[in-house]
Amino acid sequence: MGPWALDRVKAGEKTPLPATKVKTPLVELPLGATEDRICGTIDIEKALGQGIKAYEPGLLARANRGILYVDEVNLLDDGFVDVVLDAAAGGVNTVEREGISIRHPAKFIMIGSGNAAEGELRPQLLDRFGLSVDVRTMDDIKMRAAMVRDRMTYEADPLALCASVEAEQQQLRDKLDGATEALKNVQIPREVRLKISEMCSLLGVDGIRGDITTNRAAKALAALEGRPEVSLDDVKRVAGLCLNHRLRKDVLDVIDGGAKVALAWRRVTDPARAEREAKVAAEKAAAEVEKPKAGSWGGLPSAVPGGAPAAAPAKPGSWGGIPGR
Amino acid sequence: MGPWALDRVKAGEKTPLPATKVKTPLVELPLGATEDRICGTIDIEKALGQGIKAYEPGLLARANRGILYVDEVNLLDDGFVDVVLDAAAGGVNTVEREGISIRHPAKFIMIGSGNAAEGELRPQLLDRFGLSVDVRTMDDIKMRAAMVRDRMTYEADPLALCASVEAEQQQLRDKLDGATEALKNVQIPREVRLKISEMCSLLGVDGIRGDITTNRAAKALAALEGRPEVSLDDVKRVAGLCLNHRLRKDVLDVIDGGAKVALAWRRVTDPARAEREAKVAAEKAAAEVEKPKAGSWGGLPSAVPGGAPAAAPAKPGSWGGIPGR
Amino acid sequence: MGPWALDRVKAGEKTPLPATKVKTPLVELPLGATEDRICGTIDIEKALGQGIKAYEPGLLARANRGILYVDEVNLLDDGFVDVVLDAAAGGVNTVEREGISIRHPAKFIMIGSGNAAEGELRPQLLDRFGLSVDVRTMDDIKMRAAMVRDRMTYEADPLALCASVEAEQQQLRDKLDGATEALKNVQIPREVRLKISEMCSLLGVDGIRGDITTNRAAKALAALEGRPEVSLDDVKRVAGLCLNHRLRKDVLDVIDGGAKVALAWRRVTDPARAEREAKVAAEKAAAEVEKPKAGSWGGLPSAVPGGAPAAAPAKPGSWGGIPGR
Amino acid sequence: MGPWALDRVKAGEKTPLPATKVKTPLVELPLGATEDRICGTIDIEKALGQGIKAYEPGLLARANRGILYVDEVNLLDDGFVDVVLDAAAGGVNTVEREGISIRHPAKFIMIGSGNAAEGELRPQLLDRFGLSVDVRTMDDIKMRAAMVRDRMTYEADPLALCASVEAEQQQLRDKLDGATEALKNVQIPREVRLKISEMCSLLGVDGIRGDITTNRAAKALAALEGRPEVSLDDVKRVAGLCLNHRLRKDVLDVIDGGAKVALAWRRVTDPARAEREAKVAAEKAAAEVEKPKAGSWGGLPSAVPGGAPAAAPAKPGSWGGIPGR
Amino acid sequence: MGPWALDRVKAGEKTPLPATKVKTPLVELPLGATEDRICGTIDIEKALGQGIKAYEPGLLARANRGILYVDEVNLLDDGFVDVVLDAAAGGVNTVEREGISIRHPAKFIMIGSGNAAEGELRPQLLDRFGLSVDVRTMDDIKMRAAMVRDRMTYEADPLALCASVEAEQQQLRDKLDGATEALKNVQIPREVRLKISEMCSLLGVDGIRGDITTNRAAKALAALEGRPEVSLDDVKRVAGLCLNHRLRKDVLDVIDGGAKVALAWRRVTDPARAEREAKVAAEKAAAEVEKPKAGSWGGLPSAVPGGAPAAAPAKPGSWGGIPGR
Amino acid sequence: MGPWALDRVKAGEKTPLPATKVKTPLVELPLGATEDRICGTIDIEKALGQGIKAYEPGLLARANRGILYVDEVNLLDDGFVDVVLDAAAGGVNTVEREGISIRHPAKFIMIGSGNAAEGELRPQLLDRFGLSVDVRTMDDIKMRAAMVRDRMTYEADPLALCASVEAEQQQLRDKLDGATEALKNVQIPREVRLKISEMCSLLGVDGIRGDITTNRAAKALAALEGRPEVSLDDVKRVAGLCLNHRLRKDVLDVIDGGAKVALAWRRVTDPARAEREAKVAAEKAAAEVEKPKAGSWGGLPSAVPGGAPAAAPAKPGSWGGIPGR
């Protein structure tokens, strides 16, 4: 409940308050945005014309109850990321400047994207994102060619392409609506919650934001698949998304974040197997260091990428939904 | 007594002046705040509209007789920290700019938090904070899981959770009010004061701010626990909070601030035992250097953190109130 | 269709809408341009005079349906390049500042030139250019002398020179108009599209922008030469223009981008021959390292450049149109 | 005599002009002060309201015939220190900006304090301060405890503490007033002046500011103690205060400034003894280098600081008034 | 023909248009000039007073059909040099800012001077200057003394000195006017043009600006000396001025730019002799490296500079007009 | 003659124009001066009040026909030094900004002082100062003591001290006035001028500013001492002042600028003796390098500085007027 609605309830209005359905707003925060545009500011026109201080809402106000998308979030000023994350966390934006003091609801989901090679967020900010996904280029030639064809079809006639996938889209929307409804009744057993916290502690994650996010994501997955209770398997499937970006990177580390999370989970749920795997992983990693670096040009790899070496992960990270059981 | 009240007393008003009870203000100083917002400035509206220079109070004025909270205080401009600490120390804020010369009471408790890994305050500023607490992530899995459950309960129904802990909160408020009342009658014997100054001198603390703070904190602890006189044990329990952050860090130092303060206290109060302990500590520290660094990834620690190695301090610094006797 | 036309269609107007022919605009973006000039801003005169916020279009609006030329694009602020490329990609420019929120069509072809020795674009920006050409100074003395003569003739009487080449220019314009018309009917067989994606995957190009651009460029070449279907040879002739600038540079690499693209194409279309050539290229490159660097002054090369050493590429990169079969 | 008074005398007024007694102003120059606030500026209100250029005095004008205190003077912009020192030296502040040209008397004593570890003034500025004192933390535990007690007494009832020391304060004020009166009649014999200049020359002090300050300080000491003529002993007692900060620091120097001044004085007044002492000092200094550095943590010093090693100066620099004979 | 004249011709006016003789303007661009002053800007007075946007011409407009002189051109902002060179090359200055869009003729000769030791232009800018001259201090004592005498005579009576050289000046002006008239009829044979391009290609000059400038300069020299056709000797005499500054400097190069140009020309026109000379030059250069550097102080050179060592170039670079045959 | 006077003469007024005697202005350029204050700017009051652009003169205008003094000239922005030196050289200041274009006479003598240890001027600026003097602290104790006495006498009664030296001052003024009058009739023989240029050439001074200054200074000295013709001895006495600062410093140089100038002069006027001296100087310099550096603290020098070692120059550079014959 935002502060304005809360005021009305406190003032004695019957709940639920009358409601209006609006389209979920999708607001994009451009790279060069100023603090004024993000948080809102004084309306200059009114200030000059009528001599009053009127507040003019910013992007955070517009994104209320919707989605705020920030491309190249890693290139955005740390201070702005801070302001946006604060609002996203508290659901409220406070503007205090030049004698104005305003609080308005700013409850939104923030989505950021960026190329980590161009600069990283401070670890303290990165840690405040709930989930993270590592997106890479597909290696599968047929899928590439299909995407190229789709894109060229879209460019030739955008409306036709959209129409052809409408049914599939609607199905997805319905599934998400159902899951949102079901979420409030999903239970997460105490032993599952203890396993999550054990894993987070084992990984040395700072604070308990990782614990909370993993609990929530596991519940959301159960809801999406129509199950009333979170299982250990749900946790296993979401743990990487929730925790990978919370692990401090050590330059000498040969095991990447994803592998560490998986290993920690197995150690928590199946200690014996984990012990064996840790041994194997360490040996493989040591061997890896000897091999030539993939990025350097040492002649082209063999012509058929389908015959990719067994050691390399197939489709390394292209987002294909939450991994199945 | 603030300057305005003082003027009225000087003008002959009977004391005590009539008083009004207001809620203690809790003001947050945001990271991007300007000096204008902190100290107050000219009211532009009035300046343009009526041609007069009216003062518009800033955050320091609003925080008067309350609490000023600064998150990420270590990222705040040193100059601003200076201004805020000056006001906190003197209880008065002086604004002198563009022909305005105003002094107003600004008596508040300043609380700052921050991640020292992101940058430290100048030692000269750090030294002006009274007490410091080093907060770390809990290792206890059951407590983590309980906190996660509480947080999720809160998110589902904030008012219900608040109601469920109200009695406990009220009890704490009453205890604090009682201690505030009792504080003015708490005595601190001369030999205790001498021991405090001896410890501070031994630690090479600059100036006597450390001595004063330790005296005050020990008195507050006695008041909180309902005792009329400060004991040596009170000093022992607060010394770390008062002095840890006042010790200059030496990069080659293997003993941390807390251990130094404890050692100094024992040397002052029980020289023989201190001598023995110093020896042991030095040996243990030398051995520590040989061990692998905890943060580097050398396989996961054994699965049950409850079985933590004896040498490591249990719950390393999570704030659990003032240590008991 | 721009948003304004789309509104009219949605409002029920018959298609096609009435059309007016205007000259294709050619807009130059100067090096010192501000964001205001590029994107447009508030009309100050109207704002002050009439008290209203009127939008004053910028260079992007002027370039709509035309060409935007940016000299020394590598010296332009990365943020501006970003804004311009975003508009070029989406065909729409969004202006949001000081309470204005305007979207206008900005569909243009962007052409940038620059001297890479003076600074390079971020790889992420470079990758968003469709085609790239590497221009060098001609070595052919007769062509140089002819160009000098033409330039001096032009300076003496510009109009006369323009008149003398008008027929040739018109022929070129007609050919381009015809190809634009024919383009929509050019087909690109599935096996060609698969070969393109295989080559791009082999080269490790990030994302599928390279695939899309190569498809388009091959279709344009077929259209220009009046053929109804794209052949493998069309791809071979445009691959370098489309992909050279998308390859990450490795400082130790002795094979340049163009050679890599050609090698990758042959490996995809004629694996046996590619194998042999890769061997030869590597040997030649190794030998190259031993030779004295061309730029250092070690006496002048032999007097007749026409007798250039066989190893050096004749006319190394001067743009002479798309290479013939 | 300030320029305004001078004008009146020149205009024929009888001297002495009528005088008014005002309290000596004590003005503090805050760290963030701008040049406007220091020197004065145009009164904006009058400029906008009445269209005239009125001068609005700054801190230097307010400090006239009083004291200007600058905390953390070493962190102040060098340019501002320059302006303030120029005014202090000449007794006049000249403001020339935006068509204003004003000179007003600015005769004040400047007192600066700072922590040299945070940054030093340019030697050229340091050299323009008259006297310097090096303040350190007291080692005497009883004095520390007494100061803590006094401070806490003050905080409990400020007026009461001030009343309790009023008599002592008044005595000091009377003594200073008497000395000020007596100063004009104090004589300094030629042989004393020659010894001062000989010492300054021996120390390689730049310019003759050191000579002048030492002459003045010695006279002031004689006046304070009620003697009509400066003795060699007066010079000896003030030489360190006047000259320590004027010696260029050499990083390899093992003898500190104070010891050098004392040594130079003895060489000037008692060459034979100086010769012997120089030898001893050099030997002691060489030995010092071998000893462990005091600041490093090598276990705590022995528990009773009262038993401080004989070689170390007791109370190293805490200001206890001018050293007695 | 400037754009305004062109408009009139297009509008049907008879050519030649009526003409007015004005003195050739000589405009100096000061080092601290802003872009506003260089390119022109809005007339603020008119903007505020009459509410219209009037263009106020800058230095480029004032320099039209004249000379623009930039002292210390190497210290000028690269961006400004760019703007000025663009205008000089195109003869037109385009101003686009704050809603103004103006083009005006700006056809001028730009002359820049500077001390290369204080900083160099970017090679890309340097290359856009037509001719360059390297000016050094004269060694001839009699000429120095004569110049000193002339300067002192000028200072004593400027008008008298100017009068005494007026005839000589007028003769020079007449000669230049005649050459300007004759220039349009000077021919440059094809074989000469080919030799120029061969030389430029041999020297590795970027682009063909060097070729064009050498053609023009050789024609100007022929015109100045009253000959109707350019000879190979004309090219030889101007080649250094046209090409020296276009050669990339290699720090290890022992042969300076002038020598390279001369050598290249001889290789193009007399290959056999060039071969012999290259050998000698290389040997001399190698020997040079062994000799003590002239700038270091190793005692003064022998007293009579007239007896300068044979190896050193007499009058090394002082500008004495174009070298004779 | 300034431009305004010139206009009047050209307009036909009889010469000499009527003249008024004014006191020679002495203007000080403060360190923080802006370009506005130096060159003059628009009068804001008039601009706002009356809507006209009136020029408000700056410091250069005020210094016309007087002296401009710049303390710490080495800390002044290079650009400002440039502007001031340009005006000093040309006697005219040109102001071109915001539509104003004004030239006014600015004929003044510029005097700069500074501490070279705090930063040096660019060699190109240093070279434009006419004469330079190196000022050091006096070693003579009696003179120091006398100066201290005089200063303290002045502080006690400024007017009295000034009165006591008035006669001496007037004598000096009369001598200078006489010399100024005589200067125009002083002759400098051709052989003297040749010797000056020979010396400058020998020293490798850039340009002929050194030659001109030496000629002028020698004439001024002859005029001051009442002689009608410059002698070689006059040149010898002023050469150091004119040329020392024009010699490029070589860090390895053991002979300072003054010695070089003297040596060059003797080589020009007495080659045989110069040869012998150069040998001795080189040997002495080599020996010097072995000696301990004077600034390092290696015990105090022997007590009586009057007994200074013979090798050191007595009174090393304190300005005592032009050296006698």
Side-chain angles (χ1 to χ4, degrees), chain E residues 160-215:
Chain E
L161 187 86
C162 290
S164 74
V165 297
E166 176 54 24
E168 197 180 341
Q169 293 280 318
Q170 186 56 45
Q171 202 174 358
L172 195 54
R173 277 193 291 265
D174 291 345
K175 189 173 175 189
L176 284 168
D177 284 347
T180 304
E181 188 60 29
L183 183 62
K184 64 171 89 70
N185 297 318
V186 172
Q187 299 301 321
I188 177 160
R190 184 162 184 272
E191 61 273 19
V192 174
R193 288 195 287 108
L194 284 172
K195 286 291 178 203
I196 290 172
S197 287
E198 192 179 340
M199 169 176 58
C200 291
S201 176
L202 197 58
L203 286 165
V205 169
D206 269 1
I208 63 164
R209 282 206 185 99
D211 307 50
I212 293 174
T213 300
T214 311
N215 274 275

Side-chain angles (χ1 to χ4, degrees), chain B residues 51 53 82 96 99 122 124 193-194 197-198 200-201 206-208 211-212 215-216 253 255 260 267, chain D residues 31 37 45 56 62 72 115 118 137 139 141 144-145 147-149 151-152 155 296-297 300-301 303:
Chain B
K53 285 189 203 159
D82 217 8
E96 298 212 25
R122 294 183 1 230
Q124 279 70 21
R193 288 194 287 110
L194 284 172
S197 288
E198 191 178 342
C200 291
S201 176
D206 269 1
I208 62 163
D211 307 50
I212 293 174
N215 273 276
R216 279 184 181 161
D253 235 343
I255 305 183
K260 277 192 208 164
R267 180 156 293 171
Chain D
L31 196 53
R37 282 198 54 201
E45 206 173 18
E56 185 171 311
R62 223 188 287 169
E72 313 227 35
N115 184 330
E118 291 190 306
T137 303
D139 278 342
I141 291 165
R144 286 179 85 132
M147 280 182 72
V148 171
R149 185 203 54 210
R151 174 72 198 175
M152 293 181 82
E155 276 169 10
S296 64
W297 182 260
L300 288 158

Side-chain angles (χ1 to χ4, degrees), chain A residues 171-183 186 216-228 230 234 237-238 319 321-322 325:
Chain A
Q171 203 174 357
L172 195 54
R173 277 193 291 263
D174 291 345
K175 190 173 172 189
L176 284 168
D177 284 347
T180 305
E181 188 59 28
L183 183 62
V186 173
R216 280 184 181 161
K219 280 178 74 177
L221 179 56
L224 189 72
E225 300 186 346
R227 280 173 286 106
V230 172
D234 290 331
R237 285 160 71 200
V238 301
W319 174 241
I322 297 160
R325 264 169 281 195

Side-chain angles (χ1 to χ4, degrees), chain A residues 19-323:
Chain A
T20 320
K21 267 212 158 160
V22 298
K23 210 179 151 184
T24 301
L26 170 55
V27 175
E28 182 171 347
L29 193 151
L31 196 53
T34 58
E35 204 184 337
D36 272 18
R37 282 199 54 202
I38 295 175
C39 292
T41 185
I42 298 185
D43 182 328
I44 307 248
E45 206 173 17
K46 282 199 188 144
L48 289 178
Q50 307 165 31
I52 58 169
K53 285 187 201 160
Y55 172 69
E56 185 171 311
L59 293 171
L60 295 188
R62 224 190 287 169
N64 187 31
R65 310 189 69 163
I67 292 168
L68 184 76
Y69 175 60
V70 190
D71 194 12
E72 314 227 35
V73 67
N74 51 325
L75 300 186
L76 196 69
D77 188 272
D78 269 6
F80 291 170
V81 179
D82 217 8
V83 164
V84 172
L85 285 167
D86 271 349
V92 167
N93 176 34
T94 308
V95 182
E96 300 211 24
R97 61 175 63 187
E98 294 159 59
I100 288 190
S101 180
I102 283 193
R103 285 168 64 87
H104 65 76
K107 203 153 196 159
F108 52 83
I109 294 164
M110 177 176 174
I111 300 179
S113 61
N115 186 328
E118 290 189 309
E120 302 213 21
L121 285 171
R122 293 183 0 230
Q124 279 71 21
L125 288 182
L126 198 57
D127 157 66
R128 286 162 72 186
F129 281 90
L131 309 177
S132 75
V133 177
D134 185 20
V135 182
R136 303 197 197 154
T137 303
M138 279 182 304
D139 277 342
D140 186 280
I141 291 165
K142 282 180 194 156
M143 282 188 67
R144 286 179 84 131
M147 280 182 71
V148 170
R149 186 203 54 210
D150 288 351
R151 173 73 199 176
M152 293 181 82
T153 309
Y154 172 82
E155 276 169 9
D157 188 346
L159 297 180
L161 187 86
C162 289
S164 75
V165 297
E166 176 55 24
E168 198 180 340
Q169 293 280 317
Q170 187 56 44
Q171 203 174 357
L172 195 54
R173 277 193 291 263
D174 291 345
K175 190 173 172 189
L176 284 168
D177 284 347
T180 305
E181 188 59 28
L183 183 62
K184 64 172 87 72
N185 298 316
V186 173
Q187 299 301 320
I188 177 158
R190 184 162 184 270
E191 60 272 18
V192 174
R193 288 194 288 109
L194 283 173
K195 287 292 177 201
I196 290 172
S197 288
E198 192 180 340
M199 169 176 57
C200 290
S201 176
L202 198 57
L203 287 165
V205 169
D206 269 1
I208 62 164
R209 281 206 186 100
D211 307 50
I212 294 173
T213 300
T214 310
N215 274 277
R216 280 184 181 161
K219 280 178 74 177
L221 179 56
L224 189 72
E225 300 186 346
R227 280 173 286 106
E229 203 183 87
V230 172
S231 69
L232 286 176
D233 188 62
D234 290 331
V235 176
K236 180 181 162 193
R237 285 160 71 200
V238 301
L241 304 176
C242 300
L243 300 178
N244 278 355
H245 58 298
R246 298 177 201 273
L247 305 178
R248 307 261 166 174
K249 275 161 201 154
D250 188 322
V251 277
L252 294 172
D253 236 344
V254 290
I255 306 183
D256 81 12
K260 276 192 208 165
V261 172
L263 189 54
W265 181 246
R266 280 203 285 275
R267 181 156 291 172
V268 164
T269 54
D270 183 355
R273 184 179 156 205
E275 204 70 32
R276 290 193 309 271
E277 286 183 357
K279 218 169 183 173
V280 175
E283 281 161 13
K284 214 153 68 181
E288 196 90 352
V289 176
E290 314 283 291
K291 284 200 285 185
K293 228 180 104 213
S296 64
W297 182 259
L300 287 159
S302 67
V304 195
K315 293 204 228 162
S318 59
W319 174 241
I322 297 160

Side-chain angles (χ1 to χ4, degrees), chain F residues 70-138:
Chain F
V70 190
D71 193 12
E72 314 227 35
V73 67
N74 52 325
L75 299 186
L76 197 68
D77 188 272
D78 269 6
F80 291 170
V81 179
D82 218 7
V83 164
V84 172
L85 285 166
D86 272 348
V92 167
N93 176 35
T94 308
V95 182
E96 299 212 24
R97 62 174 64 185
E98 293 157 60
I100 288 189
S101 181
I102 284 193
R103 286 168 62 86
H104 65 75
K107 204 153 195 157
F108 53 81
I109 295 165
M110 177 177 174
I111 300 179
S113 63
N115 185 329
E118 291 190 306
E120 301 214 20
L121 284 171
R122 296 187 354 236
Q124 280 70 22
L125 287 182
L126 197 58
D127 157 67
R128 287 163 72 186
F129 282 89
L131 308 178
S132 75
V133 177
D134 185 20
V135 182
R136 304 199 196 152
T137 303
M138 281 181 303

Side-chain angles (χ1 to χ4, degrees), chain D residues 196-311:
Chain D
I196 290 172
S197 287
E198 191 179 342
M199 168 176 58
C200 291
S201 176
L202 197 57
L203 287 164
V205 169
D206 270 0
I208 62 164
R209 282 206 185 99
D211 307 50
I212 293 173
T213 300
T214 310
N215 273 276
R216 278 183 181 163
K219 280 177 74 178
L221 178 56
L224 189 72
E225 300 185 345
R227 279 173 287 106
E229 202 183 88
V230 172
S231 68
L232 285 176
D233 188 62
D234 290 329
V235 177
K236 179 181 164 195
R237 285 161 71 199
V238 300
L241 304 176
C242 300
L243 300 177
N244 278 356
H245 58 298
R246 298 176 201 272
L247 304 178
R248 307 261 166 174
K249 274 162 200 153
D250 189 321
V251 276
L252 294 174
D253 234 344
V254 289
I255 305 184
D256 81 11
K260 278 194 208 164
V261 172
L263 189 54
W265 181 246
R266 280 202 286 274
R267 181 156 292 171
V268 164
T269 53
D270 182 353
R273 184 179 156 204
E275 204 70 32
R276 289 192 311 271
E277 285 182 357
K279 216 167 185 175
V280 174
E283 280 160 13
K284 213 152 71 181
E288 197 89 352
V289 177
E290 314 283 291
K291 283 201 285 184
K293 229 179 101 211
S296 64
W297 182 260
L300 288 158
S302 68
V304 195

